[in-house]
Amino acid sequence: MSTQKTILRALAGETLPTPPIWMMRQAGRYLPEYKATRAQAGDFLSLCYNPELAAEVTLQPIRRYGFDAAILFADILLLPQALGADLWFVTGEGPRLSTITSAEELDVLKPVTAIHDTLSPIYETVKILSRELPDETTLIGFAGAPWTVATYMVAGKGTPDQGPAHALKDANKDVFEALLDRITEGTIDYLSEQIKAGAEVVKLFDSWAGSLQGSDFLNYSVKPMAQIVAALKAKHPTTPIIAFPRGAGEKYVGLHAAIGADCIALDDGVTVHWAAEKVQVNGCVQGNLKSSHMVTGGDDLVSETRRIVDALSNGPHIFNLGHGITPDADPENVQLMIDTVRGN
Ligand code: CP3
């Protein structure tokens, strides 16, 4: 029997009797211990840039639940900040950034070589975690995919339809593409440093991929992710990569090969039997359980969890939610999900 960690086995294409499990946003406001450490740090960004405390909140859900993977505690918007954008969080509303909508504003950004000045505490967090995590737990690093990061850099905040980024793409393609290139290059260096510091897997979050249609989906979601994967595979050939093109719908088909990813993360908008037949057939998949079950719990949570485990039992599968757990979730429902997956 292989002694390799279960997540790495699933990512290598192995079908396991029980899928390994972790959860998007597993360190977060639904946990009282997270809220306490965040209060100690002062605010969210201070927590991200404090290696000891960021490692502590990363470890909290591992201690409480024994997940098979820990995901580095950080944020996809730290890279824009490292590139020179102003970044702050408004309580109850979310992130705010200085905007980039012209060649002049793009020119103000720092060169990619400067990002490590800001991001070095994140690499320190990774180093602490690779020392402190239990032997069986896999450490996942991450970054935003270029399109999703660009939507925040152009609009200066989260937007329901990513309108400002679409407008820049359509009105000033050169500036838009130069911005995507800068983020792509920065992401390669950022993830490469995370891997050097000890991340065993990395994940790309393209949370807003669903608003790109047709050739735009290929050019601005798939292509930059494929560039990042190719560059990382050249430098770190044994590090598996998970890609999460949220909202891709029917365009999920063929993405393992198109992106070069070892695993494709599914949102909750696809039917699990369809995903088994059309997506898992090409490699490992992860995700699909609606995050709202972590709020509502009960029999529905148990039956939906079992349905996903069964439907994906004939191929490589990592159990996860279709998106991040929300602050109103009940920590006991997380335990119920884990017990159901593990058959306890
Ligand atoms: O998954 C984890 O536990 C690791 C840490 C992590 C965070 N953000 C911490 C966080 C990860 C992987 C992310 C990714 C992230 N950040 C994404 C992509 C995934 C997704 O959810 O679609 C995006 C779009 C962001 C940007 C971001 N960060 C937004 C829009 C917000 C505000 C919304 C909110 O939930 O408050 C954040 C803040 C944020 N990032 C929090 C956490 C735990 C909440 C901050 C707090 O403690 O107040």
Side-chain angles (χ1 to χ4, degrees):
M1 218 188 83
S2 167
T3 52
Q4 224 191 358
K5 301 180 185 187
T6 49
I7 296 234
L8 298 178
R9 290 168 64 189
L11 288 167
E14 201 178 324
T15 304
L16 297 166
T18 301
I21 178 168
W22 68 281
M23 195 173 65
M24 278 187 265
R25 291 277 175 97
Q26 62 191 22
R29 288 165 294 181
Y30 72 105
L31 289 179
E33 58 268 37
Y34 169 83
K35 284 191 244 179
T37 310
R38 187 179 178 283
Q40 195 187 335
D43 58 47
F44 173 65
L45 283 175
S46 306
L47 179 54
C48 289
Y49 288 116
N50 181 323
E52 296 295 334
L53 295 183
E56 166 58 24
V57 291
T58 306
L59 289 164
Q60 285 168 350
I62 308 305
R63 283 191 209 114
R64 188 191 263 258
Y65 299 115
F67 281 117
D68 296 295
I71 182 159
L72 163 71
F73 188 82
D75 198 82
I76 67 163
L77 300 177
L78 304 185
L79 178 66
Q81 187 175 38
L83 284 168
D86 293 330
L87 172 69
W88 67 104
F89 281 79
V90 179
T91 311
E93 289 184 32
R96 293 289 181 274
L97 298 94
S98 46
T99 57
I100 295 183
T101 54
S102 66
E104 292 71 32
E105 284 166 342
L106 185 65
D107 282 345
V108 176
L109 290 185
K110 296 179 195 167
V112 164
T113 48
I115 64 172
H116 309 302
D117 298 346
T118 303
L119 297 171
S120 57
I122 310 306
Y123 313 142
E124 189 53 37
T125 308
V126 174
K127 284 184 194 157
I128 296 173
L129 287 167
S130 56
R131 280 198 307 269
E132 294 195 0
L133 275 169
D135 289 344
E136 65 277 14
T137 314
T138 303
L139 178 56
I140 303 177
F142 73 94
W147 161 251
T148 288
V149 173
T151 65
Y152 288 95
M153 292 182 82
V154 174
K157 59 183 180 180
T159 45
D161 57 0
Q162 298 76 60
H166 282 280
L168 182 66
K169 163 173 74 61
D170 297 337
N172 199 340
K173 201 172 170 169
D174 290 350
V175 169
F176 173 75
E177 291 189 348
L179 175 61
L180 269 196
D181 286 348
R182 185 77 66 97
I183 300 166
T184 302
E185 248 185 275
T187 305
I188 292 166
D189 286 6
Y190 180 37
L191 289 177
S192 190
E193 289 305 310
Q194 291 184 28
I195 294 168
K196 284 193 224 158
E200 299 169 280
V201 174
V202 292
K203 177 167 175 182
L204 288 167
F205 286 90
D206 212 351
S207 305
W208 299 118
S211 74
L212 291 167
Q213 300 304 324
S215 60
D216 278 355
F217 179 76
L218 288 175
N219 289 331
Y220 304 130
S221 176
V222 175
K223 197 175 132 209
M225 283 201 277
Q227 279 176 315
I228 293 165
V229 170
L232 291 176
K233 292 280 181 189
K235 291 187 195 180
H236 313 280
T238 59
T239 305
I241 300 174
I242 305 171
F244 181 35
R246 189 167 76 94
E250 303 213 327
K251 300 191 290 300
Y252 263 116
V253 179
L255 286 184
H256 283 92
I259 298 171
D262 302 273
C263 177
I264 294 293
L266 305 166
D267 56 51
D268 57 27
V270 294
T271 309
V272 72
H273 289 282
W274 175 87
E277 197 184 314
K278 302 282 189 191
V279 188
Q280 191 188 31
V281 66
N282 295 317
C284 186
V285 292
Q286 151 188 296
N288 197 238
L289 183 71
K290 276 193 173 53
S291 306
S292 56
H293 287 296
M294 297 301 103
V295 181
T296 52
D299 292 346
D300 285 354
L301 161 57
V302 172
S303 60
E304 265 306 289
T305 298
R306 286 203 181 121
R307 204 171 69 85
I308 291 170
V309 170
D310 287 348
L312 299 174
S313 63
N314 295 320
H317 173 214
I318 297 167
F319 195 89
N320 207 313
L321 304 178
H323 200 194
I325 187 168
T326 50
D328 54 346
D330 181 344
E332 287 191 15
N333 291 333
V334 176
Q335 189 64 56
L336 181 59
M337 168 183 73
I338 295 171
D339 290 345
T340 306
V341 170
R342 294 186 174 157
N344 294 334

